[in-house]
Each structure stands twice: as C-alpha cells, then as structure tokens.
Amino acid sequence: MADAVIIAYHRRMVRWEPGAKGRLAAAAMELYRERGYENTTVAEIAERAGLTERTFFRHYADKREVLFAGTSELQAFLVARVSEAPVELAPIEAIAAALIELADTTFETSREVVVRRQAILAANAELRERELSKLAALASAVAGALRDRGISEPAASLAAEAGLAIFKVAFERWTSQSASLPLAKYIRESADELALLSARR
Amino acid sequence: MADAVIIAYHRRMVRWEPGAKGRLAAAAMELYRERGYENTTVAEIAERAGLTERTFFRHYADKREVLFAGTSELQAFLVARVSEAPVELAPIEAIAAALIELADTTFETSREVVVRRQAILAANAELRERELSKLAALASAVAGALRDRGISEPAASLAAEAGLAIFKVAFERWTSQSASLPLAKYIRESADELALLSARR
C-alpha cells in the first residue's frame, strides 16, 4: 500500500517533467534489449519509465518511432550546414564537414546508446528497412540543399549519395567491436579513401 | 459450358509451359497497375495468367516476390563480373563496367516494364523499403567480391556504395519522363561526374 502511494506520487511528480521523452526512450531501449523489440509493448515502456501511456503518445507515435526520433533533427542539421557551407567548398567536402561536426557534437558522446540501437535494428528486418528508408530520405534532402546552392543534377544527387556512403562505411567501422577511433576520424578516412578510389580510373 | 471446357483445356495445356513464370509476372504487373498492389490477390494473378495458384507458388513465394524475382540474378551477375574484372581496373570502374553491361543486356530492352515496376514501388512504402534493403544487400555482396580480389576495407565497401550511388542516380534519370539516353550513357555520365566531384577537394 505504501509502495502504491509512493509510485502514484512518483508518477504524478514526473508527469510534467521535461525529461519524460528521454526517460521513455531509455526505458524502451532497456526493454528492447531485455525482451526484444517485437515482445515489448507501449504499456510496458510507459510503466518502466514510471509514466502513463498517454504521456508516451504525447512524445512518440508508436514504439518504432522511439528508435527514429532523432532522424529529423539529424536531417535538419545536415541540410542547414550544407546550405550554409562556403561556396568554395566542394559539395562532398561540405557534406563531410557537416557529418564530422555531427559526429563530434552528437554521436561521440552517446556511442553506447548508438551501438545498442544498432543491435536492436540488426535483429529486426522491418526496422533495418525503415532505417534505410530514412537514410534515403536524408540523401534526397541533402541533394535538395545542394541544388538550392546552385549545384546541378546529377552532381547534387551524386554528392549526397557519396556523402551517405562515406557516413555508412564510417559508421559501421565506428560501431564495430574493433573500433578504436572517434567517428569523426573514420568519416575523414572514408572521405579521403573515396577521393583516392575515384581518382583511380 | 463450351467456354468452361475451352478454359479448362487451355489451363491444362499451359500448366507445364516453360513460360509460366513470365506470364505470371506479366499478369501480376497488369493487376498491380489496374487495381493497386495491395488490392491484388495471388488467386487473381493466377487467374489472369490462366494458371493455378499452385503453379504461382511453384515460381514465387508470395505476390511481393514477383517484383523482386530478378534481384538475385542481378546480384550474381554483378558479383561475377566484379570478380572476373582485370586487376588493373580500378574498383569503381570495374563496378561501372559491370553495370553498363547489365544496362545494355537487360534493362534497355525492358524499359517499359522497369518504369511500370517503379510506379508500383512508388505507391507503396513497404515495397520501397524492400527495394532499398535488396540494394543494400547487393552493395554488401559487391564489397565482398572486391575483398576477395584483395581490395582492403574500407575501400571495398566505399567502392561498392559508390557504385550503387552511380547506379541509383543513373537509374532515376533513365526512368524519368524526360529521359532521352540509354541507361548505359547515364551510368557513364554518373561515374564520370562522381570522379570529378571527388577530385574537387
């Protein structure tokens, strides 16, 4: 009885807490790891976070969205950076610079969460396909930003796809068990390697 | 009654016909266009082709598979060509050469079907995600073929992803309404453009 009161009190206290979204995400990640993504319900996520289902749905459309919530901010960041990049910077270099900044400010400090997320995605084909779809949309948005800067097609789309390729390869190395460098270094290496590869005709 | 006999006879005649797979594919494409992919059943596809559902399932696991049946042959072709490519050919060029051959031998002669398939995919998010997943698997397989040729990582994966980017951009131009060149030309242009883009540092 005392426990129930404490839990009820705790719930009331946290309902309006600004950290609710983050706590729901953390609870979801825990549960996806413990019992698998398929076997986890929104009710369980809310319970683990000490919040209500209603609160969950104020922040996320469904349990899948928890894993992709960061994508739109990520896309907006890249589009903004590519749009603002100095005109003398080559398109692929402008994208690489934006990715490196993103790596240092966002990915590097949350490697553990990112790796855990990758493991959840690896276990579920539908989630992996969703991820690919989000990345394809991201490449389209970046290509649009390049066109707005006066880069014509097919250069804009090719640069965006090349930027995505650089990121994918760098990201895979960084999230692998043998990773020893920060993500920014892997991005730099991938960009340099692609330039070398393309020069060899 | 006479009609029923003729249809029954027709069905018996075609049951073992070697062209059954192609006829099922053609019937499926017709129906997907007429009433949408979601609203078409396997029974309807079989009926339209004048074949039985059993025959359908001898050739395809489900109605989605009809749209992706060519992918494994395509992947096998690219892997074989990249494996056999002269060692002096740069990795991206080896992939581009294989793609150009594929364009001339396969895609160019069936542009209409390919364009129709793209329209079906465009109308269905699940199918688009499936396509991206197949393309990602294709890039992995090509990267594997390059590693077997002694290309180290991350070069192998980057070359494969770059090759895929070249193909995606070329394919989109070729399937667009304003397309005026053969796919092989768009692939060549994309490969040259990516080399130029990468050279601009």
Side-chain angles (χ1 to χ4, degrees):
Chain A
M1 184 57 196
D3 278 356
V5 169
I6 288 164
I7 290 166
Y9 175 76
H10 182 63
R11 284 202 177 156
R12 220 177 45 236
M13 285 301 289
V14 298
R15 180 169 286 175
W16 307 109
E17 205 190 22
K21 189 170 184 179
R23 278 172 47 209
L24 286 162
M29 295 293 279
E30 264 178 40
L31 289 164
Y32 295 165
R33 189 168 49 152
E34 283 170 26
R35 57 189 74 167
Y37 169 78
E38 293 88 347
N39 305 320
T40 301
T41 66
V42 166
E44 289 165 340
I45 296 168
E47 197 195 346
R48 175 71 61 100
L51 295 164
T52 62
E53 280 190 68
R54 237 185 105 180
T55 303
F56 179 94
F57 288 116
R58 261 206 300 274
H59 294 288
Y60 301 105
D62 52 40
K63 67 173 182 172
R64 191 174 70 173
E65 220 32 52
V66 179
L67 293 164
F68 295 100
T71 324
S72 53
E73 282 99 335
L74 197 147
Q75 182 171 313
F77 176 87
L78 289 177
V79 165
R81 280 295 182 270
V82 168
S83 304
E84 298 157 1
V87 278
E88 64 272 20
L89 208 60
I92 296 181
E93 279 304 306
I95 300 169
L99 290 171
I100 285 169
E101 190 184 339
L102 192 70
D104 284 335
T105 55
T106 307
F107 285 93
E108 205 56 44
T109 49
S110 53
R111 185 173 181 276
E112 213 177 306
V113 177
V114 174
V115 168
R116 233 178 288 152
R117 178 179 177 277
Q118 283 311 99
I120 295 162
L121 263 62
N124 185 296
E126 189 211 310
L127 293 176
R128 281 199 310 279
E129 294 190 355
R130 184 76 186 166
E131 174 88 333
L132 289 170
S133 164
K134 293 269 184 181
L135 290 173
L138 198 148
S140 290
V142 170
L146 288 173
R147 281 195 301 274
D148 290 345
R149 282 187 56 181
I151 310 290
S152 59
E153 286 295 352
S157 290
L158 279 165
E161 294 286 345
L164 193 68
I166 288 166
F167 185 73
K168 269 178 81 171
V169 172
F171 186 78
E172 261 166 47
R173 297 176 79 200
W174 179 66
T175 53
S176 78
Q177 286 198 319
S178 56
S180 56
L181 296 174
L183 178 56
K185 290 264 185 220
Y186 287 121
I187 294 171
R188 187 66 267 157
E189 274 189 23
S190 287
D192 293 345
E193 184 69 50
L194 183 61
L196 276 176
L197 277 166
S198 302
R200 283 184 55 202
R201 301 299 293 281
Chain B
M1 182 62 194
D3 278 356
V5 169
I6 288 165
I7 289 166
Y9 175 76
H10 182 65
R11 282 200 178 158
R12 219 175 49 235
M13 287 300 290
V14 298
R15 180 169 286 175
W16 308 108
E17 205 191 22
K21 189 171 183 176
R23 277 172 47 208
L24 286 162
M29 295 292 279
E30 264 177 42
L31 290 164
Y32 295 165
R33 189 169 48 152
E34 284 170 26
R35 56 189 78 168
Y37 169 79
E38 292 89 347
N39 304 321
T40 301
T41 66
V42 167
E44 291 165 339
I45 296 168
E47 199 195 345
R48 175 71 60 101
L51 295 164
T52 61
E53 280 189 67
R54 239 184 103 181
T55 303
F56 179 93
F57 289 116
R58 262 207 300 276
H59 295 288
Y60 300 105
D62 51 40
K63 67 171 181 172
R64 191 174 69 174
E65 219 33 49
V66 179
L67 294 164
F68 296 98
T71 325
S72 53
E73 282 98 335
L74 196 147
Q75 182 172 314
F77 176 87
L78 289 178
V79 164
R81 280 295 182 274
V82 167
S83 303
E84 297 157 1
V87 279
E88 63 273 19
L89 208 59
I92 296 180
E93 278 305 305
I95 300 169
L99 290 170
I100 285 170
E101 190 183 340
L102 191 70
D104 284 335
T105 57
T106 307
F107 285 92
E108 205 56 44
T109 50
S110 53
R111 184 173 181 276
E112 213 177 306
V113 178
V114 174
V115 169
R116 233 179 289 152
R117 178 180 176 277
Q118 283 311 100
I120 295 161
L121 263 62
N124 184 296
E126 189 211 312
L127 293 176
R128 282 200 309 280
E129 295 190 355
R130 184 76 186 166
E131 174 89 332
L132 289 170
S133 165
K134 293 269 184 183
L135 290 173
L138 198 149
S140 289
V142 170
L146 288 172
R147 281 194 302 274
D148 289 346
R149 284 186 56 180
I151 310 291
S152 59
E153 285 296 351
S157 290
L158 279 166
E161 294 288 344
L164 192 69
I166 288 166
F167 184 75
K168 269 177 81 171
V169 172
F171 186 79
E172 260 167 47
R173 296 176 79 199
W174 179 66
T175 52
S176 79
Q177 287 197 320
S178 56
S180 56
L181 296 174
L183 177 58
K185 290 266 184 220
Y186 287 121
I187 294 171
R188 186 67 267 155
E189 274 188 23
S190 287
D192 292 346
E193 184 69 50
L194 182 61
L196 275 177
L197 276 166
S198 301
R200 283 184 57 203
R201 302 300 293 282

